[in-house]
Each structure stands twice: as structure tokens, then as C-alpha cells.
């Protein structure tokens, strides 16, 4: 190991922190994870669990490339975690249908379809009637759609749980209710991380605190412009699941989950750290769901929740060395794609930390790109 020989302290136990702990421990490194509350219970728990690099991306580039790489790596990870933990992680890669209700929306879909087909992705263009053959309860107002057969979803909650358990089985030490307050710093190094009454000595530190990463970086005197972006979601049930695939409309999506419930999401709101649902948010999601599948008007809202996505100024994650430090690293800013990109981030961080070579991380994800930028309001 040419990287740190001692403890790597990971701050934050969402999917990203748990994946870092798992990949580091699997390679024999001493990983200590400090979690403010309970692992996996913030944005990671709130997510819809989609693995949708094509459906989520608006242009070619590093995000699409990383997303596709992450999607391709998922089945092996799931096999590994199932073998380690013995429970099902509900990986379903049976496709996503994205639909349009009018010609303008169809033209937008068509443009994305064209460049993604050009890159060789096996998308299918469908007229309205064919969309309804695929999803018979879809609104009669749908005029066209794109079916992306290789994308899908996973149980984000189970993946986070499995990563934490598998990390611990490989020797990672996970401290719950260990909120990090400050850092011991000397000569461009972090030598200790203070959580509760304990100072954890470290050879390296990884900031993976989701939407709170910017605040923690500020305590290290460095700029990491991560901001919270609230997403509200509802779980609809009380009827036989009316969709077989994930269905996206222009205003939101429906994700059928293994237990017969349909997740409908999600709002995208800049409201600081207020992590609660609103009547308007829930109403909007109900309307969006009913517009896609009218039968859902009769569904029961079993529960509603909200989470804070870790957003970044340019929509790209921040993975790699933190400017001003020789042993501090970021793994955050995954915004709408942290469930997809979290496990790959764990691999990139473990490889980078243990080899000292961060060349496998796309340059566009380097935290240093913000070094010259003013902090976000
Ligand atoms: C409604 C919604 C739907 C989404 N749907 C999808 C989807 O379908 N597919 C997808 O890929 N992504 C989706 N996302 C995005 C995804 O959830 C996030 O990108 C991802 O969970 C971020 O993971 P994380 O580990 O960085 O953050 P988190 O899961 O928020 O974890 C960060 C952890 O750090 C801890 N922490 C904070 N401060 C401290 C501290 N001082 N000390 C110690 N620990 C600390 C927190 O308690 C938390 O557990 C969705 C998000 C939302 C909100």
C-alpha cells in the first residue's frame, strides 16, 4: 500500500461513505466511519433508487461516462453484497420509459434520443400507442416515448445497509451517532477528527457528508461548494401496481418497488437545510402521478418524505484531493445520482487513496476546480 498505512477516517455514512468504507476495508485498509446519526438514513434513504445514467443526462460528457460505468458495475457489486449479507437488494434492470405529452416535449425527447443513439445506446423510439402497449395504464395523452432497456433501479436502502455490513465484515469500524465537529490540522495535513468526546487519529480523511460536506470543509478552512437541494417524494399504494417499468414524464417519475408500492418523485427545491414535506409538494407529486397514470388518482399516499441532495455548482460530483491538504479527500456532490454513482465512488476513492494516483477519476470531478470560485450563497 503506497497510501496511508494507518486509519482512513470517513466522515458521513450515506451510500458514498459506506461504499468508501467497504472498498477500503476490502483492500485491507483500516477504515473508520463516523456517522452523525444512523448510516444510510439521509439522502440515501430518501432516494428512489433509480440507476438511470441515460435518462438523467442532458449531454454527453464525464457524467454520462461515469454513470454508464457505474451502471455496468452494479450487477457484480450486488452479487458480492448478496453473498456477503444474504438478503435481496432488488436490482431490476428491466428498462425505463420516458414519455412526452405534446410535440414540444416529444422534440426534446427526440434530441436526446438522437445523440444517445449516435453514441450506440440501444434506445427505442415509441409512438403513443406503443408506449401504452408497454404500459397499458399509461395516460391516453402520451404522444411518444423512449424506452431505455438497460436502466432500472435497486433498493437504495438495502444497498446502503449491505455496504455498511459488508464493510464491517471486512474490518471497517463504524461509529453511529458520532457527529464530526472539528479537525486537528498540522502543516497541510489532517491528523485527527473530533467526534463527540473522541479524537480519532488518522492518516487520511474522506469527506462524504452529503449535503453537509460544504459546512465540514469550511471547518477545515477549505471551499467545497456543496448545497442542499430538497427532494420530496410520496409512496402510493392501495391498488395492484399499475406500472411494470419506471415511467418518467416531464415533471417527475414513477418507480414501482418490489413490495407493490409506487414511489412518485421528486421535487427539486432550494430551501436550505429544511428537510420536511409540504402540502404543495405532495399535491404536486399526486398530480404528476395521475397525469402519467390516471388510475393513480385512486391510490393512497402511504407516506411522504423528503431528503437533501448534495448539489454542486456545476452538477458534477467532487471526488479526490481537497485543495490545501495532502491527506484530505472529498467524495460528495452527487446530486441526483448518488445511488448510481456511490458504489463507483467507493472504488475510485479506495484506488486513489491506496495508490496515490487519482488519474482514474475524471478531471471534471476534481474538487480543485472550485478553488478559484467564490463560495455559493
Ligand atoms: C427525493 C430524492 C430522490 C433521489 N433519487 C435518486 C435516484 O433515484 N437515483 C440516484 O442515483 N440518486 C437519487 N437521489 C440522490 C441520492 O440520494 C444522493 O445523491 C445520495 O444519497 C448522496 O449520498 P451521500 O452519501 O453523499 O449523502 P447522504 O446519504 O446524505 O449521507 C451523508 C451522511 O453524512 C452524515 N453527516 C452529515 N454531517 C455529519 C457530521 N458532521 N459528522 C458525521 N456524519 C455526518 C449524514 O448524517 C448522512 O448520513 C435522490 C435524492 C433525493 C432526495
Amino acid at each position: 500500500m503506497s497510501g496511508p498505512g494507518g486509519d482512513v477516517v470517513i466522515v458521513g455514512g450515506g451510500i458514498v461513505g459506506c461504499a468508501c468504507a467497504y472498498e477500503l476495508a476490502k483492500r485491507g485498509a483500516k477504515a473508520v466511519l463516523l456517522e452523525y446519526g444512523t448510516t444510510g438514513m439521509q439522502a440515501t434513504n430518501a432516494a428512489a433508487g433509480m440507476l438511470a445514467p441515460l435518462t438523467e443526462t442532458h449531454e454527453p460528457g464525464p457524467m454520462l461516462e461515469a454513470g454508464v460505468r457505474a451502471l455496468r458495475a452494479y450487477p457484480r457489486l450486488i452479487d458480492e453484497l448478496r453473498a456477503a449479507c444474504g438478503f435481496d437488494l432488488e436490482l431490476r434492470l428491466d428498462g425505463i420509459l420516458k414519455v412526452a405529452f405534446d410535440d414540444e416535449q416529444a422534440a426534446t425527447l427526440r434530441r436526446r434520443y438522437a445523440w444517445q443513439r449516435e453514441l450506440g445506446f440501444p434506445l427505442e423510439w415509441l409512438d403513443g400507442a406503443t408506449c401504452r402497449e408497454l404500459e397499458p395504464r399509461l395516460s391516453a395523452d402520451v404522444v411518444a416515448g423512449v424506452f431505455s432497456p438497460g436502466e432500472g433501479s435497486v433498493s437504495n436502502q438495502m444497498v446502503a445497509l449491505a455496504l455498511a455490513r459488508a464493510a464491517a465484515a471486512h474490518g471497517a469500524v463504524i461509529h453511529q451517532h458520532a457527529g464530526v465537529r472539528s479537525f486537528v490540522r498540522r502543516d497541510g495535513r489532517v491528523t485527527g477528527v473530533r467526534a463527540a468526546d473522541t479524537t480519532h487519529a488518522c492518516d487520511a480523511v474522506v469527506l462524504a457528508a452529503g449535503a453537509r460536506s460544504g459546512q465540514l470543509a469550511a471547518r477545515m478552512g477549505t471551499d467545497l461548494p456543496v448545497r442542499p437541494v430538497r427532494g420530496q417524494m410520496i409512496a402510493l399504494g392501495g391498488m395492484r401496481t399499475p406500472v411494470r417499468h419506471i415511467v418518467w414524464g416531464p415533471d417527475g417519475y414513477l418507480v414501482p418497488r418490489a413490495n407493490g408500492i409506487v414511489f412518485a418523485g421528486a421535487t427539486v427545491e432550494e430551501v436550505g437545510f429544511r428537510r420536511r414535506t409540504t402540502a404543495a409538494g405532495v399535491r404536486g407529486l399526486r398530480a404528476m402521478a395521475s397525469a402519467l397514470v390516471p388510475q393513480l388518482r385512486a391510490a393512497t399516499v402511504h407516506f411522504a418524505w423528503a431528503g437533501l441532495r448534495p448539489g454542486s455548482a456545476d452538477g458534477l460530483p467532487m471526488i479526490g484531493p481537497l485543495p490545501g491538504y495532502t491527506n484530505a479527500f472529498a467524495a460528495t456532490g452527487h446530486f441526483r445520482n448518488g445511488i448510481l454513482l456511490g458504489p463507483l465512488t467507493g472504488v475510485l476513492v479506495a484506488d486513489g487513496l491506496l495508490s496515490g494516483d487519482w488519474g482514474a477519476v475524471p478531471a471534471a470531478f476534481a474538487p480543485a476546480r472550485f478553488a478559484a470560485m467564490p463560495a455559493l450563497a
Side-chain angles (χ1 to χ4, degrees):
M1 184 162 71
S2 63
D7 288 349
V8 179
V9 170
I10 298 151
V11 182
I15 191 167
V16 175
C18 289
C20 291
Y22 173 62
E23 295 295 341
L24 282 162
K26 208 169 80 173
R27 290 159 171 72
K30 289 194 261 172
V32 176
L33 189 151
L34 304 175
E35 163 54 43
Y36 180 88
T38 306
T39 48
M41 291 310 289
Q42 292 301 315
T44 295
N45 189 57
M50 284 178 293
L51 305 177
L54 298 171
T55 307
E56 278 275 5
T57 312
H58 303 289
E59 58 191 10
M63 195 64 174
L64 178 70
E65 285 157 27
V68 169
R69 183 176 162 197
L71 176 65
R72 289 185 177 141
Y74 240 99
R76 219 182 98 204
L77 172 75
I78 294 298
D79 286 346
E80 223 172 85
L81 293 177
R82 197 192 295 114
C85 300
F87 50 74
D88 184 25
L89 296 119
E90 296 170 20
L91 179 68
R92 286 181 55 182
L93 296 179
D94 50 7
I96 296 182
L97 176 63
K98 192 157 190 171
V99 300
F101 287 100
D102 58 36
D103 290 349
E104 198 184 324
Q105 291 168 9
T108 306
L109 270 192
R110 177 70 84 173
R111 277 193 292 278
R112 183 198 310 237
Y113 165 79
W115 71 255
Q116 292 189 344
R117 280 283 299 199
E118 188 102 334
L119 289 174
F121 296 109
L123 307 176
E124 295 162 39
W125 180 261
L126 311 178
D127 60 21
T130 318
C131 288
R132 279 179 291 280
E133 271 172 34
L134 194 65
E135 286 296 345
R137 291 178 186 80
L138 205 57
S139 164
D141 296 335
V142 165
V143 297
V146 172
F147 186 62
S148 171
E151 299 183 287
S153 65
V154 73
S155 167
N156 35 302
Q157 295 85 1
M158 297 308 249
V159 171
L161 181 65
L163 283 168
R165 286 205 186 161
H170 281 288
V173 178
I174 298 181
H175 296 278
Q176 313 277 2
H177 306 291
V180 169
R181 294 169 202 279
S182 59
F183 301 87
V184 185
R185 300 182 275 154
R186 198 185 323 130
D187 303 330
R189 289 178 64 79
V190 177
T191 57
V193 181
R194 294 194 191 96
D197 297 333
T198 309
T199 298
H200 299 266
C202 64
D203 271 8
V205 64
V206 178
L207 264 192
R212 300 268 176 193
S213 299
Q215 293 179 328
L216 281 161
R219 284 182 214 169
M220 296 169 66
T222 190
D223 213 14
L224 198 63
V226 181
R227 69 185 195 285
V229 183
R230 184 168 73 185
Q232 300 186 46
M233 199 134 77
I234 56 175
L236 295 166
M239 58 174 52
R240 190 187 287 261
T241 313
V243 284
R244 292 176 296 184
H245 304 90
I246 295 170
V247 178
W248 273 70
D251 300 321
Y253 50 74
L254 302 173
V255 183
R257 299 281 289 220
N259 53 9
I261 278 175
V262 176
F263 286 178
T267 63
V268 180
E269 303 164 87
E270 306 261 352
V271 291
F273 286 95
R274 269 173 290 170
R275 191 175 57 82
R276 61 184 160 123
T277 56
T278 62
V282 172
R283 232 183 1 256
L285 292 170
R286 279 213 76 141
M288 178 280 296
S290 309
L292 282 170
V293 174
Q295 194 184 330
L296 282 171
R297 253 183 229 120
T300 307
V301 178
H302 282 315
F303 35 94
W305 66 96
L308 301 175
R309 307 175 184 92
S312 72
D314 55 9
L316 302 177
M318 302 162 201
I319 303 171
L322 269 176
Y325 285 92
T326 53
N327 72 336
F329 307 89
T332 189
H334 295 76
F335 191 36
R336 295 174 64 107
N337 290 290
I339 305 305
L340 172 67
L341 294 175
L344 174 65
T345 301
V347 172
L348 293 173
V349 166
D351 287 349
L353 249 166
L354 300 181
S355 69
D357 177 3
W358 291 85
V361 180
F365 296 176
R369 71 191 187 275
F370 294 115
M373 277 182 60
L376 289 174

